[in-house]
């Protein structure tokens, strides 16, 4: 039976059946369109109701429908079926290994590229011209890479759907902004403080919330994100309300060089360079790169420790975890707190980079983008999340540059306004093409004889 | 029935006293008392819906019983009242490990990883509650190697060491059952609770399971409490059988005693009450000599 089906697939296109399909659908379409389109009631000059005969039009439409169905049956459906068969066939271990090798190669070349990127850009576009590429693309993407990696611990490893991650980002940003302005502390002191405060809020949120699972957890975390934002808007004495906080001090190069134009130890002056904000941007680029790499390094280490294995086990089966003596509440709390801590680091960096924070920057959309990055990247995969951040943030930034589309769609066409539409379409296409994200395979954390990649089909996503 | 002190009553690893579990109006377990002898293989049997798994869930802390007392006495001499402990403490401190009726492995993790997760608590201490482990200080590496050795011992024992680095979800059904037992044993329990370990196994696999359970008892000194429908397992290896019907204990004794208990036969074959009396009467005549032995 199955061999018959297969041979038919191999033979490819069954034109007879497709033709039959097309004709039948055409007839059905005509039966429907005949009365609906073919007959039109109208008024004549004497205000009388008359019946217009447009059966010709109905016939043309029916033929179009029939031909369309014929093309679907003859070409599109067999192609989809063939694709389905291929993807259903078990992916061999060798294939998985090859893919894992590609991923490893990609991460090493990617890392080297990231370190030389500003130098490359400056040599291509000059000091002043590099600002856009280093700041809008480099720094912006790396912030989201870091946020993605932070949230990856919560969603990807522990399997807890957190829709309010931006709250911890906000805690980090406001911690830096308020403490730097009111207590004149340096970024390097406040970076860990912001991380600790965010982790602390992670634990405060986690205690009541982590007994919930699945959709309920998602809803409550979402609400928490909104609460933090609303408090920031309404508690004007504390946070400046929706006007936000401005003139947040810049990051200094460990106190040795400053990037303030007026400061005596200004970086550009010290090295007798032309004054430009580009140096600060390049410095920020390397700072966020190192912060992101710190996140990656710690996550990779944590995965190989018992706590990391417990997170993944929790994602696979919580009941089994408890039967093995694992305190699931504490385990979830650590995942939440460590994820929040990285969010806090990224937040304080964000505040220092912008020099201005307001609740506008911490809307739900941000949480949604970060969750989308993690899901798109493949839950639990570091390189996948990084690629997804590049695609999502870099992609939306690139869409701003699509001025050539004006040549196609006329002068009034503004590609900016179609950004989100195209972006949504791209997401749908990627989710159809790779439903488990860019990198779905899982690398085991320990091995006895040989590290074998685990196919993504066996890995569970967790249920909250 | 004799009233003399049985082996399982004189040195029990677990005593269950007057355990009752109600779900709303339904009484799933009704005033159940029994003991699990140290080093024994104890079988808990009964028709479907008799409340066996509920008893398991109470013992392992997944359910809080309505009333009753369960005392667990691990080898270190401590006594734990299981009804007061949360589930993960039952596994960690009271040394009770369990498997599940519907296998609950970490299917996306390798066999080795499954067995390492089971050793979470000692490894957690070795990694300095993660903090020292992240910094790379302390003897975590050595402890992890020990844990891997222990996992390897169990993989050898269940005959799956060749597949140590494969994901657990790729294993055939019987092997998954064995792996779940090995995973439970990696927590170093004093009482191993198995919920239908032979379900879905073919006769050869059943026989392998029997020898695995016997070796767990002999070599690791772990007492075993199991729920089972497969009589070849129950009668073949158990020292003590407790029979439940509708949440109430109807028999408690050696396999031979329970096998011949008319109420057990009635519970399993489903006869009328009058017939039970008849059978009881007949059995008294037939096994009159045997009854004296017990």
């Amino acid at each position: 039976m199955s061999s018959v089906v297969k041979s038919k697939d191999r033979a490819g296109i069954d034109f007879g059946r497709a033709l039959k399909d097309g004709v039948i659908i055409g007839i059905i379409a005509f039966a429907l369109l005949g009365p609906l389109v073919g007959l039109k009631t109208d008024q004549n000059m004497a205000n009388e109701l008359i019946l217009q005969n447009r059966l010709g039009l109905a016939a043309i439409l029916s033929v179009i429908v029939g031909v369309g169905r014929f093309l679907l049956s003859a070409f599109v459906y067999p192609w989809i079926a063939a694709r389905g068969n291929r993807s259903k066939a078990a992916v061999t271990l060798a294939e998985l290994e090859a893919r894992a090798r590609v991923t490893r190669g990609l991460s090493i070349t990617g890392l080297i590229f990231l370190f030389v990127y500003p130098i490359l850009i400056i040599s291509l576009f000059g000091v002043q011209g590099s600002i856009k590429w280093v700041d809008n693309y480099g720094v912006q993407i790396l912030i989201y890479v870091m946020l993605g990696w932070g949230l990856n611990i919560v969603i990807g490893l522990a399997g807890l759907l957190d829709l309010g991650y931006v709250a911890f980002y906000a805690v980090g940003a406001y911690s830096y902004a308020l403490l730097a302005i009111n207590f004149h502390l340096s970024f390097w002191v406040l970076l860990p403080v912001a991380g600790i405060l965010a982790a602390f809020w992670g634990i405060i949120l986690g205690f009541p919330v982590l007994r919930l699972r699945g959709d309920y957890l998602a809803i409550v975390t979402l609400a928490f994100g909104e609460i933090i934002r609303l408090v920031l808007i309404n508690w004007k004495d504390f946070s400046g309300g929706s006007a936000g906080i401005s003139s947040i001090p810049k990051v200094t190069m460990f106190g040795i060089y400053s990037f303030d134009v007026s400061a005596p130890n200004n970086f550009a002056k010290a090295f007798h360079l032309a004054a430009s904000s580009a140096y600060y941007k390049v410095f920020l680029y390397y700072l966020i790169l190192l912060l992101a790499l710190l996140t990656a390094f710690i996550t990779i280490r944590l995965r190989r420790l018992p706590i990391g294995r417990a997170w993944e086990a929790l994602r696979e089966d919580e009941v089994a975890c408890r039967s093995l003596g694992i305190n699931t509440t504490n385990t979830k709390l650590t995942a939440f707190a460590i994820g929040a801590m990285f969010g806090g680091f990224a937040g304080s960096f964000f505040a220092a980079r912008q020099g201005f924070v307001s609740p506008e920057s911490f809307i739900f959309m941000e949480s949604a983008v970060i969750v989308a990055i993690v899901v798109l990247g493949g839950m639990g995969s570091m390189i996948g999340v990084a690629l997804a951040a590049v695609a999502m943030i870099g992609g939306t930034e690139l869409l701003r540059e699509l001025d050539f589309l004006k040549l196609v769609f006329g002068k009034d066409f503004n590609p900016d306004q179609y950004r989100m539409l195209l972006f949504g379409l791209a997401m749908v296409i990627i989710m159809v093409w790779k439903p488990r994200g860019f990198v779905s395979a899982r690398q085991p954390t320990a091995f006895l004889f040989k590290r074998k990649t685990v196919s993504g089909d066996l890995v569970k996503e967790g249920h909250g | 029935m004799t009233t003399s002190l049985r082996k399982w009553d004189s040195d029990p690893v677990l005593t269950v006293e007057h355990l009752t579990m109600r779900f709303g109006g339904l009484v799933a377990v009704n005033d159940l008392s029994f003991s699990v002898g140290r080093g024994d293989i104890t079988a808990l049997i009964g028709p479907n819906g008799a409340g066996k798994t509920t008893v398991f869930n109470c013992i392992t802390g997944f359910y809080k019983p309505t009333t009753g007392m369960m005392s667990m006495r691990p080898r270190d001499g401590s006594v734990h009242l299981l009804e007061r402990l949360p589930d993960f403490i039952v596994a960690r401190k009271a040394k009770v490990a369990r498997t599940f009726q519907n296998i609950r492995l970490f299917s996306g993790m390798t066999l080795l990883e499954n067995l390492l997760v089971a050793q979470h608590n000692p490894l957690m201490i070795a990694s300095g509650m993660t903090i020292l482990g992240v910094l790379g200080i302390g003897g975590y590496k050595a402890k992890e190697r020990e844990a891997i050795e222990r996992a390897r011992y169990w993989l050898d024992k269940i005959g799956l060491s060749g597949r140590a680095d494969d994901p657990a979800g790729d294993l055939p059904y019987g092997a998954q059952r064995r792996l779940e037992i090995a995973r439970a044993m990696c927590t170093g329990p004093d009482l191993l609770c198995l919920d239908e370990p032979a379900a879905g196994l073919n006769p050869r696999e059943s026989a392998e399971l029997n020898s695995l359970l016997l070796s767990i008892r002999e070599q690791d000194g772990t007492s075993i409490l199991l729920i089972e429908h497969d009589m070849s397992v129950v009668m073949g290896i158990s020292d003590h059988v407790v029979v439940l019907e509708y949440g109430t204990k109807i028999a408690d004794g050696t396999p031979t005693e329970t096998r011949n208990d008319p109420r057990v036969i009635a519970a399993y074959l489903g006869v009328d009450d009058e017939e039970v009396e008849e059978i009881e009467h007949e059995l008294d005549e037939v096994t009159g000599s045997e009854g004296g032995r017990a």
Side-chain angles (χ1 to χ4, degrees):
Chain A
M1 177 71 192
S2 65
S3 67
V4 175
V5 173
K6 256 188 203 154
S7 69
K8 230 177 198 175
D9 278 351
R10 223 170 283 139
I13 304 154
D14 186 351
F15 279 110
R17 229 189 70 208
L19 198 65
K20 202 175 91 187
D21 265 7
V23 171
I24 291 172
I25 294 294
I27 291 168
I28 294 173
F30 187 74
L32 282 170
L33 291 172
L36 286 172
V37 178
L39 302 173
K40 191 187 177 199
T41 54
D42 210 346
Q43 285 170 322
N44 66 3
M45 300 301 256
N47 251 354
E48 288 164 323
L49 193 66
I50 56 159
L51 199 61
Q52 257 183 6
N53 187 341
R54 297 196 301 178
L55 283 176
L57 180 64
I60 291 169
L61 289 176
S62 308
V63 168
I64 292 173
V65 171
V67 169
R69 172 70 206 212
F70 169 75
L71 291 176
L72 276 179
S73 298
F75 301 106
V76 179
Y77 289 157
W79 179 70
I80 289 173
R83 264 207 51 173
N85 283 349
R86 202 183 44 198
S87 67
K88 247 175 247 155
V91 186
T92 60
L93 195 66
E95 247 174 274
L96 279 175
E97 292 304 320
R99 273 186 222 165
R101 259 199 305 283
V102 169
T103 319
R104 261 195 297 278
L106 206 64
S107 36
I108 292 167
T109 41
L111 207 60
I112 294 167
F113 174 76
L114 283 175
F115 273 102
V116 298
Y117 175 75
I119 300 165
L120 203 71
I121 291 295
I122 288 177
S123 55
L124 278 177
F125 298 97
V127 172
Q128 208 56 31
S130 72
I131 293 178
K132 185 179 98 181
W133 292 99
V134 172
D135 193 43
N136 287 8
Y137 287 87
V139 174
Q140 185 75 2
I141 291 174
L142 283 172
I143 288 180
Y144 281 92
V145 169
M146 182 168 175
L147 287 171
W149 280 346
L151 188 60
N152 182 41
I153 294 174
V154 184
I155 296 187
L157 294 183
L160 304 165
L161 185 52
D162 178 0
L163 292 182
Y165 191 62
V166 80
F168 307 121
Y169 188 40
V171 168
Y174 272 85
S175 309
Y176 174 66
L178 290 169
L179 293 173
I181 287 176
N182 295 325
F183 298 98
H184 308 290
L185 293 169
S186 113
F187 176 81
W188 300 102
V189 176
L190 290 179
L191 182 71
V193 172
I196 289 166
L197 279 174
F200 173 70
W201 277 100
I203 292 171
I204 287 187
L205 166 69
F207 257 120
V209 158
L210 286 178
R211 61 189 66 232
L212 302 174
R213 299 176 69 174
D215 308 349
Y216 301 99
L217 178 70
I219 290 166
V220 176
T221 50
L222 190 156
F224 177 73
E226 288 299 285
I227 288 169
I228 292 264
R229 192 172 65 85
L230 289 174
V231 166
L232 290 175
I233 289 177
N234 291 299
W235 193 1
K236 291 206 173 69
D237 300 335
F238 174 73
S239 65
S242 39
I245 301 170
S246 50
S247 58
I248 299 168
K250 285 180 173 173
V251 188
T252 62
M253 205 181 259
F254 307 104
I256 304 167
Y257 297 114
S258 162
F259 291 96
D260 275 333
V261 186
S262 54
N265 59 347
N266 179 282
F267 180 81
K269 275 185 206 158
F271 287 91
H272 306 292
L273 297 163
S276 165
S277 62
Y279 308 117
Y280 185 49
K281 303 298 182 199
V282 172
F283 172 66
L284 284 182
Y285 176 88
Y286 280 111
L287 176 59
I288 186 67
L289 179 59
L290 290 178
L291 281 175
L293 290 180
L294 177 80
T295 312
F297 174 74
I298 292 183
T299 311
I300 289 169
R301 285 211 77 126
L302 284 175
R303 265 199 76 206
R304 300 199 177 139
L305 288 171
I307 187 76
R309 276 190 211 117
W311 287 338
E312 292 198 78
L314 200 63
R315 178 191 63 199
E316 297 280 325
D317 196 320
E318 188 179 339
V319 172
C321 275
R322 283 191 273 140
S323 83
L324 297 173
I326 296 174
N327 184 340
T328 49
T329 315
N330 283 357
T331 308
K332 284 180 183 178
L333 268 182
T334 28
F336 232 65
I338 291 175
M341 183 180 76
F342 291 125
F345 287 158
S348 65
F349 173 84
F350 172 79
R353 173 214 183 200
Q354 301 290 87
F356 168 73
V357 287
S358 82
E360 273 297 285
S361 312
F362 308 108
I363 49 174
F364 171 66
M365 185 64 200
E366 294 293 309
S367 288
V369 166
I370 305 166
V371 171
I373 286 174
V374 174
V375 173
L376 201 62
M379 300 205 294
S381 154
M382 307 292 286
I383 182 82
V385 169
L387 286 177
V390 171
M392 299 256 310
I393 306 303
T396 40
E397 289 294 323
L398 264 183
L399 284 174
R400 286 183 208 273
E401 317 269 325
L402 297 181
D403 275 344
F404 70 87
L405 285 178
K406 282 189 181 167
L407 298 175
V408 185
F409 295 103
K411 276 212 167 64
D412 294 334
F413 180 77
N414 184 0
D416 239 24
Q417 295 182 339
Y418 292 86
R419 251 168 15 118
M420 295 316 271
L421 184 72
L422 288 174
F423 174 66
L425 192 67
M427 287 233 0
V428 170
I429 290 170
I430 291 170
M431 277 347 251
V432 169
W433 167 57
K434 281 213 162 245
R436 311 259 333 205
F438 289 146
V439 182
S440 57
R442 177 180 172 274
Q443 291 298 323
T445 59
F447 60 96
L448 205 53
F449 306 111
K450 185 170 170 291
R451 192 183 295 279
K452 293 181 191 167
T453 308
V454 177
S455 154
D457 301 335
L458 293 168
V459 181
K460 296 205 179 82
E461 289 112 339
H463 27 207
Chain B
M1 293 282 156
T2 55
T3 49
S4 70
L5 204 60
R6 308 287 198 108
K7 182 190 168 288
W8 47 84
D9 286 323
S10 57
D11 181 19
V13 63
L14 170 76
T15 27
V16 174
E17 288 162 274
H18 306 291
L19 177 71
T20 300
M21 181 78 210
R22 289 198 194 89
F23 297 102
L26 176 82
V27 183
V29 180
N30 186 15
D31 196 30
L32 172 70
S33 302
F34 68 94
S35 311
V36 177
R38 195 176 297 279
D40 276 358
I41 293 179
T42 307
L44 190 60
I45 65 169
N48 284 330
K52 305 181 296 288
T53 301
T54 308
V55 173
F56 257 44
N57 283 338
C58 288
I59 292 171
T60 50
F62 282 82
Y63 291 161
K64 287 280 154 281
T66 317
T67 58
M69 190 166 103
M70 298 170 290
S71 23
M72 173 75 199
R73 294 181 182 77
R75 263 170 279 192
D76 57 17
S78 55
V79 182
H80 300 273
L81 296 177
L82 300 183
E83 72 278 3
R84 297 188 187 168
L85 302 177
D87 43 21
F88 66 93
I89 297 287
V90 169
R92 189 189 295 183
K93 296 257 170 66
K95 305 263 172 223
V96 179
R98 71 169 294 180
T99 66
F100 296 87
Q101 199 171 348
N102 44 343
I103 304 173
R104 283 180 175 274
L105 286 171
F106 307 124
S107 57
M109 302 173 87
T110 65
L111 271 62
L112 180 68
E113 283 180 303
N114 267 276
L115 300 187
L116 288 180
V117 171
Q119 303 176 54
H120 176 79
N121 290 318
L123 283 178
M124 201 64 186
I125 293 163
S127 73
M129 297 331 251
T130 307
I131 298 160
L132 296 180
V134 169
L135 300 174
I137 343 176
Y140 175 67
K141 277 273 159 249
K143 288 280 183 212
E144 192 185 39
R145 227 167 291 131
E146 267 174 43
I148 289 176
E149 271 317 303
R150 192 189 174 106
R152 189 184 192 147
Y153 165 79
W154 280 104
L155 284 171
D156 283 339
K157 200 153 179 169
I158 60 173
L160 289 174
S161 36
R163 304 202 60 178
D165 300 320
D166 288 339
D170 262 355
L171 290 180
Y173 191 81
Q176 291 197 6
R177 283 249 175 245
R178 292 206 300 279
L179 179 62
E180 210 189 11
I181 295 172
R183 188 181 67 179
M185 284 309 295
C186 273
T187 62
D190 275 332
L191 176 65
L192 176 64
C193 300
L194 305 172
D195 199 342
E196 298 199 18
L201 300 190
N202 63 35
R204 196 173 56 85
E205 287 173 322
S206 260
E208 280 172 11
L209 176 76
N210 281 2
S211 51
L212 173 66
L213 295 185
L214 287 171
S215 105
I216 285 175
R217 181 178 64 169
E218 301 308 327
Q219 293 176 15
D220 304 280
T222 305
S223 320
I224 297 174
L225 174 64
L226 57 92
I227 291 176
E228 193 46 76
H229 284 299
D230 186 335
M231 284 302 145
S232 73
V233 175
V234 174
M235 296 302 160
I237 60 169
S238 53
D239 308 294
H240 174 193
V241 180
V242 178
V243 190
L244 286 186
E245 192 192 14
Y246 299 121
T248 315
K249 184 167 87 173
I250 56 172
D252 186 345
T254 61
T256 344
E257 285 166 12
T258 45
R259 180 171 25 198
N260 298 325
D261 190 312
R263 274 179 301 176
V264 177
I265 297 167
Y268 268 92
L269 300 180
V271 282
D272 295 335
D273 287 347
E274 296 155 34
E275 279 182 63
V276 175
E277 277 166 29
E278 248 172 68
I279 292 170
E280 251 172 40
H281 185 70
E282 281 171 29
L283 274 170
D284 280 343
E285 287 173 4
V286 177
T287 58
S289 54
E290 225 177 286
R293 191 186 62 92

